[in-house]
Amino acid sequence: MTAQQPLVATRDLGVHFRLSRNTVLKAVDRVSFDVLPGETFGIIGESGSGKTTLGRALVCLEAPSAGQVLHQGRDPYALSRRQLRQHRRNYQVVFQDPNAALDPRMTILRSVREPLDVAATMPRAQRDEVAMQAMERVGLSPDFAARYPHELSGGQKQRVCIARVLTLRPSVIVCDEAVAALDVSIQADILNLLADLQREFGLTYIFITHNLGVVGHISDRVAVMYLGRLVEMGETEAVLARPLHPYTDALLSAEPVALPSHMRTSQRVILSGELPSPVSPPSGCRFRTRCRFAQDLCAAKEPEWSEVEPGHWAACHFAGTLPVTSSPVHGVAEVVA
Amino acid sequence: MDHAVKQPLLEVNKLSAFFRAGRGEVQVTRDVSFTMAPGEMVGLVGESGCGKTVTGLALMGLLPPASSRLEGKILLQGQDLIAMPPSAKRRLRGRRISMIFQEPMSALDPVFTIGHQISETLRAHQDVSRAEARNRAIEALARVGIPEPTLRYDAYPHQLSGGMRQRAMIAIALVCEPQLLIADEPTTALDVTVQAQIVDVLGELCTRMGMAMLFITHDLGLVSQTCSRLVTMYAGEVVEEGRVDDILLRPRHPYSSGLLRSLPALTQRKARLPAIPGRVPVRGDMPPGCRFQPRCAHAQPPCTAPQPLRAVQPQGEVRCCRAEELILPGVLPVERAA
Ligand SMILES: Nc1ncnc2c1ncn2[C@@H]1O[C@H](COP(=O)(O)OP(=O)(O)O)[C@@H](O)[C@H]1O
Ligand SMILES: Nc1ncnc2c1ncn2[C@@H]1O[C@H](COP(=O)(O)OP(=O)(O)O)[C@@H](O)[C@H]1O
Ligand code: SF4
Ligand code: SF4
Ligand SMILES: [Mg+2]
Ligand SMILES: [Mg+2]
């Protein structure tokens, strides 16, 4: 695993927003991880934990306030402006709300072609052709070309957004809650499509979601974020089946799993309270105000980010020694097999 | 079975909703029928656009009278809500039936404190003094898990987080201890952690007050955790009704089965997800006969005939002529569910 050069990496990355003269909100705070080529890297956490900001920083839509984002080992901000523009085509994002990404007055073909129009590196006829190919690839027949967004369903609009980014032939796509607004049946369709595209184009995904069923299904590895910091990271099976951090445990336990009553075994841990203000996070361990295992030490000292088991990282003073009880969210299929 | 012995609290019988459109009107739900026993928790599921919210609003009498029309019967303990004069219906709302929504701001008034809104709801329906209303409102805030309820009484909606607003809306809906709560996707906009808290509060209040709840959601996991019975809607019609545990293991309608199978947690990691091809038909493009037929893998010639909702053995109701012969997978593969 270490032999491969990471395609995307962060080193003590911070993204800070200055809210007023003396308040700074650290939406992302000292975050370090590597994403390998061809991998699907999931990021989960409650809303407000900094997932979107982190995702934006990974594709240079948000500049680091501290630390670094590295693309294939290089700092994209060291590139000239022109080079950076060219370089960014490789790093694309698909957002939750396709309506926000599509101009209601543009035909579907024009929306799909738009990134190529902006890049202006091909003649028009070729841009049309590439756009039509991308549409076909995501399962939109040619008669969609002349239609407008309002004539399309949510799932079809999300396909348009995926086709749009495909025209640029990116190597990395950040999917920020890309299937969250879709009905389960349509969500399944889009997840299948993303898997096909990954195989075909060797894509690397950074998959941000609050849906544990989704993240468990498609990710190779997952990172858990809380108030701007990573609290756990590892292989998906390990994190979901044997979480090391009490926060991960609570998230898993809160996920409602469709099982008949006699098959529900795990007792639920209901997390009390809500996410504290990120402007003044709790001292020591940020999770301590909601943690059922918190001790005096947790307020006094920030837990270290350490590799508790090979490839499985956590930031908790007592990681590996706590009686966490996870529920079978990641695959009822595996659990009941 | 057990729900049939008690006298139903709610009986919805062939309820159809129509909206005015230009010169004519369009029908958005057709012949919706189901019953609820006192204290029963029933889930109402289906893809978006299937008519769940319209059904909930119809039960509440909240569809716009000028531009909509209902056919059929809604009987609350035998009393027909559709035939009832508007003033009587208003008295019922909040007192015997309440509704909560996905977006609490639509139900909260931004210019009044939440405490005021709860007290006023109570005073509109019950003859209580201001002081008593205040006390009961503070109690209601405490019951839904709002910390420091005495202080929060004076908070305005915008001063609360999304989860706290949702709790405030629940407090308003429940302060008069209604017999029936219609909860329309009340946790869809919330994090799973806060969702778990809210669902817990709702479940506990229902049990404590003996209140029935119609839980509208697209989340089958949530239904399995909160409800004992399930109604599946498709394209404006009820297609299946039965006990949650039965349907999870052995759905009788191909659409219910499809919804369950597309849950990613039920498929081996990275394997292909069984999606339902196509999409919900739009008005004017309704297939004749079974409305699910264009998307159904089990369709056969008889499916082009209209499908009635009919009882199946050992219990439940299904709108599918092949219900008896089909063995459909639920959350487990067919062999494991036997
Ligand atoms: N442009 C911005 N200015 C100020 N604060 C921001 C900005 N963008 C995000 N934030 C804050 O940063 C925190 C993390 O937000 P976000 O990255 O959107 O989290 P998530 O995607 O996990 O919900 C939140 O507290 C949010 O309010
Ligand atoms: N006020 C209205 N006028 C016309 N059509 C409506 C109105 N409200 C809802 N509809 C239509 O009724 C159908 C059912 O909608 P709804 O009950 O909101 O679905 P669900 O809650 O299951 O997503 C949809 O096709 C919707 O467009
Ligand atoms: S460090 Fe302490 S407060 Fe933080 S997660 Fe571990 S036990 Fe809980
Ligand atoms: S009636 Fe036919 S088409 Fe409709 S759900 Fe049943 S098998 Fe499928
Ligand atoms: Mg976000
Ligand atoms: Mg709805």
Side-chain angles (χ1 to χ4, degrees):
Chain A
M1 225 166 118
T2 40
Q4 250 176 319
Q5 160 99 283
L7 195 52
V8 181
T10 64
R11 293 290 172 263
D12 289 321
L13 176 69
V15 180
H16 308 167
F17 297 111
R18 183 165 290 281
L19 301 183
S20 69
R21 190 111 80 79
N22 35 26
T23 36
V24 171
L25 186 158
K26 297 186 175 177
V28 176
D29 190 15
R30 290 168 287 149
V31 165
S32 302
F33 61 85
D34 292 346
V35 180
L36 302 176
E39 167 172 61
T40 298
F41 187 80
I43 302 176
I44 58 176
E46 285 164 290
S47 50
S49 57
K51 306 180 299 297
T52 293
T53 308
L54 174 58
R56 288 171 56 85
L58 294 178
V59 298
C60 302
L61 288 173
E62 205 77 74
S65 319
Q68 276 185 314
V69 170
L70 299 173
H71 289 164
Q72 293 180 293
R74 289 194 310 265
D75 180 356
Y77 288 95
L79 298 171
S80 74
R81 241 207 161 111
R82 220 191 121 123
Q83 286 171 314
L84 180 60
R85 231 179 71 196
Q86 191 59 30
H87 174 86
R88 270 169 55 170
R89 297 178 52 167
N90 272 325
Y91 298 83
Q92 291 295 319
V93 194
V94 177
F95 292 106
Q96 168 172 356
D97 183 7
N99 294 310
L102 298 178
D103 185 332
R105 293 156 308 179
M106 278 197 207
T107 62
I108 297 307
L109 177 61
R110 237 187 103 195
S111 279
V112 173
R113 202 186 60 210
E114 195 190 18
L116 294 175
D117 293 347
V118 172
T121 48
M122 294 176 194
R124 166 70 188 270
Q126 195 185 348
R127 278 179 262 155
D128 276 339
E129 197 187 314
V130 172
M132 291 300 283
Q133 280 167 0
M135 282 176 54
E136 190 190 343
R137 188 57 207 84
V138 301
L140 294 171
S141 62
D143 52 302
F144 277 95
R147 294 199 204 166
Y148 288 88
H150 74 267
E151 300 172 71
L152 273 59
S153 69
Q156 288 166 340
K157 279 186 265 196
Q158 202 55 296
R159 284 174 198 270
V160 174
C161 292
I162 295 170
R164 243 171 90 88
V165 307
L166 280 185
T167 59
L168 295 171
R169 288 300 176 110
S171 44
V172 174
I173 301 179
V174 171
C175 300
D176 189 355
E177 303 281 8
V179 297
L182 305 174
D183 280 306
V184 277
S185 59
I186 312 296
Q187 174 183 293
D189 243 354
I190 299 285
L191 291 174
N192 287 338
L193 171 65
L194 289 171
D196 291 345
L197 296 175
Q198 180 165 48
R199 261 190 300 276
E200 193 172 325
F201 300 112
L203 290 168
T204 301
Y205 291 134
I206 290 150
F207 212 93
I208 298 173
T209 174
H210 64 271
N211 185 322
L212 293 162
V214 169
V215 90
H217 185 76
I218 67 155
S219 310
D220 298 296
R221 284 190 305 144
V222 359
V224 186
M225 218 174 162
Y226 189 77
L227 275 184
R229 303 225 61 196
L230 293 193
V231 297
E232 181 158 1
M233 177 173 79
E235 304 279 332
T236 304
E237 280 98 344
V239 172
L240 299 192
R242 286 172 284 108
L244 292 171
H245 198 283
Y247 179 59
T248 313
D249 185 39
L251 276 184
L252 295 176
S253 155
E255 179 81 3
V257 186
L259 276 181
S261 41
H262 70 272
M263 291 181 67
R264 299 175 173 281
T265 47
S266 66
Q267 39 179 161
R268 301 206 307 149
V269 187
I270 293 195
L271 207 53
S272 61
E274 298 179 12
L275 206 64
S277 160
V279 174
S280 49
S283 68
C285 173
R286 291 183 186 196
F287 184 57
R288 72 175 162 82
T289 51
R290 300 165 81 191
C291 180
R292 61 195 175 118
F293 302 112
Q295 311 277 318
D296 291 345
L297 173 66
C298 306
K301 190 166 171 276
E302 182 166 10
E304 260 170 54
W305 179 237
S306 55
E307 192 169 10
V308 181
E309 294 162 7
H312 194 166
W313 298 69
C316 166
H317 292 304
F318 308 104
T321 65
L322 298 172
V324 287
T325 54
S326 86
S327 60
V329 264
H330 67 299
V332 176
E334 279 90 351
V335 169
V336 298
Chain B
M1 283 279 114
D2 35 334
H3 67 269
V5 242
K6 292 189 213 155
Q7 117 125 73
L9 170 71
L10 178 76
E11 209 178 329
V12 181
N13 198 346
K14 292 200 181 289
L15 178 67
S16 299
F18 303 82
F19 284 103
R20 181 171 303 159
R23 292 246 174 113
E25 53 177 23
V26 293
Q27 180 166 13
V28 298
T29 62
R30 184 164 77 170
D31 290 351
V32 171
S33 302
F34 62 93
T35 60
M36 288 178 72
E40 194 178 29
M41 315 274 250
V42 177
L44 181 59
V45 302
E47 282 164 291
S48 42
C50 282
K52 306 182 296 295
T53 295
V54 164
T55 301
L57 292 172
L59 299 183
M60 271 297 274
L62 283 178
L63 289 175
S67 60
S68 68
R69 185 172 66 81
L70 293 175
E71 275 178 13
K73 283 195 165 57
I74 304 172
L75 303 176
L76 186 68
Q77 292 182 311
Q79 207 178 1
D80 190 349
L81 302 190
I82 295 181
M84 195 180 266
S87 59
K89 237 188 290 190
R90 254 197 313 278
R91 276 199 301 278
L92 214 95
R93 271 203 296 275
R95 192 166 58 89
R96 291 178 61 197
I97 308 189
S98 271
M99 185 161 179
I100 58 177
F101 305 89
Q102 174 173 342
E103 184 32 74
M105 283 314 254
S106 62
L108 296 174
D109 191 330
V111 302
F112 293 109
T113 65
I114 56 165
H116 177 85
Q117 294 182 55
I118 302 172
S119 316
E120 284 308 300
T121 307
L122 191 58
R123 282 162 52 81
H125 293 294
Q126 292 178 17
D127 186 20
V128 292
S129 70
R130 244 169 237 287
E132 191 190 342
R134 186 189 162 85
N135 286 339
R136 298 248 315 254
I138 291 172
E139 245 171 62
L141 288 171
R143 252 193 332 210
V144 296
I146 293 187
E148 301 179 292
T150 316
L151 287 178
R152 295 297 169 89
Y153 184 94
D154 295 314
Y156 288 91
H158 73 267
Q159 295 172 316
L160 303 176
S161 70
M164 285 300 155
R165 272 184 219 144
Q166 205 66 11
R167 289 170 198 260
M169 179 170 59
I170 296 172
I172 294 175
L174 300 191
V175 69
C176 294
E177 313 217 334
Q179 297 163 300
L180 172 63
L181 177 70
I182 299 162
D184 189 358
E185 310 255 8
T187 59
T188 301
L190 304 173
D191 279 307
V192 282
T193 49
V194 180
Q195 167 173 284
Q197 296 167 1
I198 301 274
V199 163
D200 239 46
V201 162
L202 279 175
E204 203 184 296
L205 291 175
C206 283
T207 318
R208 183 138 37 109
M209 299 172 8
M211 179 178 72
M213 176 161 74
L214 182 66
F215 197 96
I216 300 177
T217 176
H218 63 274
D219 187 336
L220 286 154
L222 212 48
V223 168
S224 72
Q225 238 167 42
T226 46
C227 302
S228 55
R229 222 148 47 81
L230 176 63
V231 175
T232 311
M233 278 186 84
Y234 183 75
E237 297 179 328
V238 171
V239 296
E240 179 161 12
E241 176 281 320
R243 283 195 294 244
V244 170
D245 283 357
D246 295 348
I247 295 178
L248 287 175
L249 290 178
R250 179 134 158 54
R252 309 297 295 267
H253 195 284
Y255 180 60
S256 307
S257 172
L259 281 182
L260 288 169
R261 293 311 305 166
S262 50
L263 292 173
L266 301 183
T267 297
Q268 293 283 342
R269 255 167 56 68
K270 299 254 173 189
R272 220 169 171 68
L273 293 164
I276 307 174
R279 60 190 273 200
V280 182
V282 290
R283 279 189 299 278
D285 200 19
M286 270 313 159
C290 172
R291 292 185 166 183
F292 187 57
Q293 183 210 324
R295 302 173 76 185
C296 183
H298 306 282
Q300 283 188 353
C303 306
T304 52
Q307 302 293 318
L309 185 65
R310 60 198 177 81
V312 286
Q313 290 307 320
Q315 72 99 46
E317 293 189 84
V318 186
R319 197 183 286 280
C320 169
C321 55
R322 303 198 58 201
E324 279 79 6
E325 45 178 319
L326 292 174
I327 297 179
L328 303 166
V331 297
L332 302 182
V334 167
E335 345 46 278
R336 297 275 340 265

